[in-house]
Amino acid sequence: MWPCGGRRQRRLGGIALLLVVLWLLLRRYYPCLLPVVSEPCENAVLLRFNWSELTPLGLWGRTLGLQTENSQFLLEGMPFRIFGGSMHYFRVPREYWEDRMLKMKACGLNTLTTYVPWNLHEKERGKFDFSKNLDLRAFLSLAAKNGLWVILRPGPYICSEWDLGGLPSWLLQDPEMQLRTTYKGFTEAVDAYFDHLMRVVVPLQYKKGGPIIAVQVENEYGSYAKDPNYMTYVKMALLNRGIVELLMTSDNKNGLSFGLVEGALATVNFQKLEPGLLKYLDTVQKDQPKMVMEYWTGWFDNWGGPHYVFDADEMVNTVASILKTGASINLYMFHGGTNFGFMNGALEADEYKSDVTSYDYDAVLTEAGDYTSKFFKLRQLFSMVIGQPLPLPPMIESKASYGAILLHQYISLWDVLPALLQPIKSEFPVNMENLHLNDSIGQPYGYVLYETVIFGGGHLHTRDHVRDRAQVFVNTMYVGELDYNTVELSIPEGQQGFRQLRLLVENRGRVNYGLALNEQRKGLIGDVFLNKTPLRNFKIYSLEMKPAFMKSLQRVSGWSTVPDYFVGPAFFRGRLWIEQQPQDTFLKLQGWEKGVVFVNGQNLGRYWKIGPQETLYLPGPWLRRGGNEIVIFEERTAGRIIQSVDIPYLGRTQYVD
């Protein structure tokens, strides 16, 4: 027989071995349950959740999800803090999604947040698109693969400096429409959209083995707050369709108390950490964890203004201060991306200001996904807080300078009209959204041309019915521009007989924030007067410039060699030849005035000589070896060449106050 002490030693040894085995199993299958205590953070336990190491066998026991208890988050019953970063799949080429996620991980983040844009997923009423760059399921699954949890912000309103805050423009066909309320016409449309969206989202929730740990109810409703029943409606619309994870709201300080809804955690948005700001959360909800849903790492730009930047040291010091309070944080934006096409939003406070194409935002990563000083400063901070080594940052992709590109052919808009476009005839001017187009959902974006007959000249007055900017022509002669500030022009007298008066109206982007959402119809929204008489009997041409139109444009006859000097509106085309594997580049349009650029059918967005933005981002995946077709729609003064450069220029900088 073994002596008693030997049995005790064997028993202790067996227990020690069992503990080692259990620890190894936890490390292999449940790394999310292994806490790492952080020294720099006061009274805070931080956890690393490594999603990529979870196997299907490790998913069966995950039932609790993200919870709140005693002023802290719990995930699967263990203390957890959210270190998040915003990145929008619809602003980043699909080929680069994973690269940006790996950079999030390398910065020390554990959570990705994204909005969901209704106006892209349901461009036409009843027709839903979750394919290609809009494949939300693929995006969220890729986040899971790369070890990132997800906070989903499905709207229906998202703000985001995006046209109409992500709401589809066809909602505005209803003259009585009340957006973001329980108005029946709005809620019926939301219900139909959520029916489809939630089929994608629900299976990707944490409790079903997916990465989604929280879902936001609407967005910054406290700054709108037109209907006290609306937030409850949105909450129930989510719950009734199978959302089971933690609900959150998101507001700035002034909107916090007006954006609450029972059963959802209130979070706050800001850039400068005012004294007592986080403690203010305690006044609207007691004993709940503090979360900064949007810590603004930079700011967006408007045409005609500066390129805003936010000091990197000030930003990182503020993030450190937030973390020292024990709060969770989401960096808005970690990576901004681009407002490709006509999707930029606008502001309307004292005056209307449309946003530029770039959504660089002076964020942690640049518009093209490159590192900034903010990235490395934040990486150092998060590394100290987490207390363990972070993944190495991925290599950055080199950028190409393909040099000068000659635009050698052009065709006037006036020559395109009879060849490609059938006008809508109307006695009265019709706004874009109510044009009988696209299966009766109207025209959402781009330009619209209004043409009528006049018999002489005189005083033209819009009575502020132009949205947003109109070029005025008599026949093909340019007369001037009309917009919010210029509402009248003198039309010159001509020879006896009728002449064509043409108004080429651009929708520069719908307002995405504030109380004016219901007034965002575009084109001519009312009568225009000549000598105090309203104009009548219009031919209306839709210039949405969709892919089918751009393809037809290439085949139309009438393209000519560009002369030494030519004034638009006109389309210009040239070819970029690439010998090697295509790389990202930036197009500089010096000498051009205002318009839109298409490359291989992809709409890169708008340019405008008033700045601040001077280059357009052209992603490498949108190029191909060999010939690449470039088409430019120029409203006025055209150059002969554009430059492909390897460095962006977003304009003169101004620090955010």
Side-chain angles (χ1 to χ4, degrees):
M1 293 180 63
W2 293 93
C4 196
R7 286 199 304 272
R8 185 178 297 110
Q9 288 176 348
R10 291 201 315 277
R11 189 178 298 115
L12 290 173
I15 292 172
L17 179 61
L18 179 61
L19 289 173
V20 170
V21 170
L22 286 173
W23 183 83
L24 289 172
L25 287 172
L26 279 172
R27 186 177 180 184
R28 177 66 183 90
Y29 294 110
Y30 295 90
C32 57
L33 301 183
L34 295 176
V36 178
V37 181
S38 164
E39 296 299 330
C41 239
E42 298 174 5
N43 303 319
V45 177
L46 308 182
L47 294 142
R48 291 296 293 164
F49 278 66
N50 189 342
W51 176 277
S52 62
E53 292 187 16
L54 285 177
T55 67
L57 290 176
L59 299 179
W60 65 270
R62 300 181 334 148
T63 57
L64 297 179
L66 188 66
Q67 300 172 299
T68 65
E69 183 178 293
N70 298 326
S71 299
Q72 68 176 346
F73 287 114
L74 302 178
L75 187 57
E76 204 59 36
M78 300 292 290
F80 179 62
R81 284 177 74 189
I82 297 164
F83 294 163
S86 288
M87 162 190 164
H88 303 149
Y89 58 100
F90 48 95
R91 280 183 161 125
V92 181
R94 180 171 180 161
E95 294 84 351
Y96 288 152
W97 287 351
E98 187 163 29
D99 172 78
R100 308 316 191 238
M101 292 175 185
L102 290 171
K103 289 170 179 172
M104 275 191 182
K105 292 287 289 183
C107 193
L109 305 185
N110 60 17
T111 303
L112 178 151
T113 69
T114 186
Y115 283 127
V116 180
W118 182 6
N119 56 7
L120 290 186
H121 288 297
E122 194 182 0
K123 293 178 183 176
E124 299 182 20
R125 186 190 288 267
K127 296 181 180 179
F128 300 92
D129 184 4
F130 292 92
S131 65
K132 299 179 181 177
N133 225 87
L134 297 177
D135 192 339
L136 179 60
R137 179 182 287 107
F139 179 75
L140 299 179
S141 299
L142 195 60
K145 173 193 168 189
N146 287 285
L148 291 165
W149 304 106
V150 172
I151 297 176
L152 194 70
R153 312 174 78 186
Y157 164 84
I158 64 172
C159 186
S160 190
E161 291 70 63
W162 195 252
D163 188 273
L164 201 58
L167 302 176
S169 62
W170 45 259
L171 291 167
L172 296 174
Q173 288 185 320
D174 179 352
E176 306 299 323
M177 176 56 65
Q178 297 296 312
L179 301 173
R180 303 179 74 191
T181 70
T182 52
Y183 174 73
K184 184 179 179 182
F186 183 69
T187 57
E188 286 179 345
V190 173
D191 288 340
Y193 169 56
F194 271 15
D195 284 345
H196 285 77
L197 175 61
M198 294 307 147
R199 292 173 196 166
V200 176
V201 170
V202 166
L204 294 169
Q205 295 178 98
Y206 176 91
K207 293 171 186 173
K208 297 181 180 293
I212 299 173
I213 58 174
V215 176
Q216 185 175 297
V217 182
E218 236 267 352
N219 188 63
E220 297 179 313
Y221 195 70
S223 300
Y224 197 72
K226 289 190 175 184
D227 185 339
N229 300 313
Y230 174 68
M231 286 293 282
T232 299
Y233 156 73
V234 177
K235 181 189 75 171
M236 296 309 300
L238 296 170
L239 296 178
N240 292 339
R241 288 167 176 81
I243 293 299
V244 295
E245 304 302 338
L246 180 69
L247 298 179
M248 296 179 170
T249 62
S250 170
D251 286 285
N252 60 33
K253 180 183 177 182
N254 293 333
L256 261 176
S257 59
F258 302 103
L260 298 174
V261 64
E262 184 178 356
L265 177 74
T267 68
V268 68
N269 307 334
F270 60 82
Q271 187 166 70
K272 304 296 179 72
L273 182 57
E274 302 170 10
L277 179 55
L278 288 176
K279 289 184 178 179
Y280 180 70
L281 277 169
D282 291 329
T283 67
V284 298
Q285 57 186 13
K286 296 290 186 182
D287 299 322
Q288 293 292 329
K290 294 178 175 62
M291 168 84 184
V292 182
M293 180 61 78
E294 292 187 11
Y295 175 69
W296 302 321
T297 61
W299 202 244
F300 57 91
D301 300 337
N302 306 119
W303 289 114
H307 170 51
Y308 288 107
V309 295
F310 184 42
D311 182 75
D313 289 326
E314 183 180 354
M315 186 211 72
V316 174
N317 289 338
T318 304
V319 172
S321 297
I322 294 168
L323 297 181
K324 285 179 182 178
T325 69
S328 289
I329 191 171
N330 175 59
L331 304 174
Y332 188 99
M333 297 290 297
F334 179 80
H335 173 49
T338 308
N339 298 318
F340 292 116
F342 296 119
M343 300 309 299
N344 63 273
L347 283 177
E348 190 166 16
D350 296 332
E351 60 178 320
Y352 172 88
K353 295 180 180 179
S354 59
D355 300 334
V356 301
T357 299
S358 171
Y359 200 60
D360 178 87
Y361 204 83
D362 192 37
V364 182
L365 300 182
T366 68
E367 179 181 13
D370 294 334
Y371 300 115
T372 68
S373 63
K374 292 179 180 179
F375 175 90
F376 294 106
K377 292 174 186 290
L378 285 169
R379 173 178 161 85
Q380 183 179 22
L381 172 64
F382 283 120
S383 179
M384 289 189 300
V385 171
I386 294 168
Q388 67 183 42
L390 297 176
L392 290 175
M395 295 287 290
I396 62 171
E397 297 288 336
S398 59
K399 308 298 183 287
S401 176
Y402 294 115
I405 304 165
L406 176 66
L407 281 296
H408 60 285
Q409 288 187 315
Y410 83 101
I411 184 169
S412 168
L413 174 63
W414 315 125
D415 293 329
V416 169
L417 295 180
L420 292 182
L421 297 172
Q422 290 294 323
I424 295 170
K425 295 181 180 180
S426 173
E427 181 180 358
F428 304 95
V430 181
N431 59 286
M432 291 175 65
E433 296 79 7
N434 287 97
L435 293 173
H436 293 293
L437 297 165
N438 301 320
D439 292 331
S440 298
I441 62 100
Q443 180 182 337
Y445 314 110
Y447 299 76
V448 61
L449 177 68
Y450 297 85
E451 185 178 281
T452 188
V453 172
I454 59 174
F455 297 88
H459 183 245
L460 184 70
H461 202 295
T462 70
R463 299 194 183 175
D464 196 28
H465 288 156
V466 168
R467 297 290 184 274
D468 297 298
R469 179 174 175 271
Q471 291 178 274
V472 181
F473 302 86
V474 174
N475 294 333
T476 61
M477 181 184 71
Y478 175 76
V479 176
E481 295 176 4
L482 297 165
D483 56 20
Y484 293 92
N485 299 315
T486 303
V487 296
E488 53 188 327
L489 281 176
S490 178
I491 302 298
E493 297 287 347
Q495 297 178 351
Q496 298 239 342
F498 71 87
R499 298 180 296 169
Q500 289 179 319
L501 179 68
R502 290 163 159 166
L503 283 79
L504 178 61
V505 184
E506 180 194 11
N507 167 7
R508 288 173 49 197
R510 294 180 182 85
V511 167
N512 58 268
Y513 180 82
L515 302 178
L517 296 182
N518 294 323
E519 287 76 54
Q520 293 309 302
R521 295 169 183 86
K522 298 296 184 178
L524 292 184
I525 63 169
D527 283 328
V528 175
F529 295 79
L530 183 61
N531 299 327
K532 298 184 180 181
T533 300
L535 296 172
R536 291 290 181 261
N537 299 317
F538 289 91
K539 289 183 179 179
I540 305 173
Y541 296 86
S542 169
L543 287 163
E544 191 175 344
M545 302 186 192
K546 295 197 294 187
F549 171 82
M550 299 307 295
K551 284 184 180 179
S552 299
L553 183 65
Q554 298 304 309
R555 298 190 296 268
V556 73
S557 60
W559 289 89
S560 305
T561 301
V562 178
D564 291 337
Y565 179 76
F566 182 82
V567 175
F571 294 91
F572 296 79
R573 69 180 178 187
R575 190 170 291 271
L576 168 62
W577 189 267
I578 299 177
E579 298 285 351
Q580 305 299 323
Q581 182 67 28
Q583 297 175 311
D584 287 1
T585 189
F586 305 90
L587 300 184
K588 188 175 179 63
L589 290 108
Q590 189 171 359
W592 300 73
E593 187 165 334
K594 188 179 189 306
V596 192
V597 178
F598 301 82
V599 178
N600 295 331
Q602 296 274 8
N603 187 337
L604 299 190
R606 311 173 210 254
Y607 65 90
W608 197 356
K609 72 174 185 179
I610 67 172
Q613 182 177 356
E614 295 188 19
T615 54
L616 288 175
Y617 173 52
L618 172 52
W622 292 1
L623 294 168
R624 52 181 176 247
R625 286 188 180 183
N628 294 269
E629 185 126 64
I630 298 177
V631 176
I632 299 177
F633 176 68
E634 167 59 54
E635 296 181 22
R636 286 295 296 148
T637 305
R640 293 295 303 276
I641 63 170
I642 61 175
Q643 294 283 343
S644 163
V645 297
D646 56 4
I647 298 174
Y649 187 67
L650 298 178
R652 62 193 182 281
T653 60
Q654 178 177 314
Y655 280 90
V656 178
D657 294 331

